[in-house]
Amino acid sequence: MSRLRALWQASFNATKRALVWSSDDLIPPSERYIFNFNSKDELKRWHLYSDSEYGGLSAASLEITDSTAGPDTSLTGVFSGNLSSDMSEDSTWRIRRYGFCGMRSKKFDGFIDLDAYDTIAMKIKGDGRCYISTIYTENWVNSPGQEEDNSWQAFVHTPQDRWQILKIPLDQYLPTWRGNVIEAKLEMNPARIVGMSLSVNAEGGVPGAKTGTGDFRLEVDWIKALRTL
């Protein structure tokens, strides 16, 4: 075979391989990890916030510790702290609500596309309190010039001291602005997600959940996106 024909054949074979595809190339996997708290490096992806930024006395921490999250011992994330309704005596802030803490992911590099999925799942162990799961999407609801991301929230009620896999359909997340539900027909764009958070308030939540000031503790093994339909 001449050198020219050999080059042509090699090019033809490469093109043929590029055109061969399977359904796996077109259909994303049925689940996708968003966060996995199995390494201390995961801490670099989150930051904490609380009412202490506004003169409150609530406090929170996020650690990666050994835990039994099933038959084996593994590393998990522990979001814990104390909720207080008091405020610092020298605070100049005047806000309506104290007693809240949260852990928010740092912004993704651009955004993540979850358009192929319909559910958020998380493996957690709580303390009987009601937590809030928030998804932040690229701003297109707020007025021009506002830098806040759009937020979509759903309650996460955790049985005390028992691991569970909680599944929240994306269409159950409600649009909110500064913690208040927006009374308008809005639809999340899951293709433009820029971050997520978990938070806890001393008051509110679902009936039967533990409320009030005091200690809180939520263990998180992982957070995934699922395609169930």
Side-chain angles (χ1 to χ4, degrees):
M1 183 183 295
S2 67
R3 187 170 182 272
L4 180 62
R5 181 174 176 79
L7 289 173
W8 176 87
Q9 187 66 47
S11 175
F12 175 80
N13 290 339
T15 302
K16 185 178 180 181
R17 285 194 300 270
L19 294 175
V20 174
W21 56 271
S22 68
S23 59
D24 291 339
D25 297 321
L26 299 181
I27 303 175
S30 60
E31 63 180 41
R32 172 181 175 179
Y33 275 104
I34 305 174
F35 300 104
N36 195 347
F37 294 84
N38 61 356
S39 167
K40 293 187 183 298
D41 288 340
E42 185 67 22
L43 297 176
K44 300 175 183 177
R45 303 181 64 191
W46 298 84
H47 67 261
L48 298 168
Y49 64 90
S50 71
D51 58 28
S52 62
E53 299 172 24
Y54 308 99
L57 298 178
S58 299
S61 67
L62 177 62
E63 303 172 290
I64 303 294
T65 64
D66 291 332
S67 177
T68 303
D72 303 315
T73 299
S74 61
L75 295 177
T76 59
V78 179
F79 171 51
S80 62
N82 183 271
L83 299 172
S84 173
S85 59
D86 298 326
M87 60 180 293
S88 175
E89 293 181 358
D90 57 356
S91 172
T92 59
W93 290 90
R94 291 293 180 268
I95 62 174
R96 297 180 180 179
R97 177 172 56 87
Y98 287 91
F100 64 86
C101 293
M103 50 180 278
R104 177 169 176 169
S105 68
K106 296 176 182 178
K107 279 200 172 185
F108 301 130
D109 185 11
F111 51 85
I112 62 172
D113 183 352
L114 298 183
D115 196 39
Y117 302 92
D118 57 80
T119 299
I120 295 295
M122 57 187 76
K123 187 175 181 180
I124 53 177
K125 181 170 73 171
D127 53 6
R129 288 186 181 273
C130 183
Y131 292 78
I132 299 172
S133 171
T134 304
I135 296 174
Y136 301 96
T137 57
E138 190 177 53
N139 184 328
W140 58 270
V141 174
N142 293 328
S143 301
Q146 290 187 354
E147 296 182 357
E148 295 181 55
D149 301 318
N150 300 138
S151 59
W152 310 78
Q153 297 185 320
F155 285 131
V156 177
H157 183 204
T158 61
Q160 189 163 358
D161 299 327
R162 178 166 57 86
W163 283 102
Q164 67 168 349
I165 295 177
L166 183 73
K167 299 178 181 180
I168 311 172
L170 287 176
D171 59 13
Q172 288 188 13
Y173 281 83
L174 300 178
T176 63
W177 187 71
R178 297 184 179 179
N180 297 309
V181 175
I182 298 175
E183 297 295 339
K185 291 185 178 181
L186 302 175
E187 190 171 321
M188 181 196 300
N189 181 1
R192 310 288 285 191
I193 293 176
V194 296
M196 301 181 76
S197 73
L198 287 168
S199 58
V200 60
N201 297 328
E203 304 300 334
V206 300
K210 178 182 176 181
T211 60
T213 57
D215 294 339
F216 67 88
R217 179 184 175 89
L218 178 69
E219 290 188 59
V220 187
D221 191 0
W222 46 254
I223 299 174
K224 298 178 182 179
L226 304 180
R227 186 174 68 253
T228 65
L229 302 177

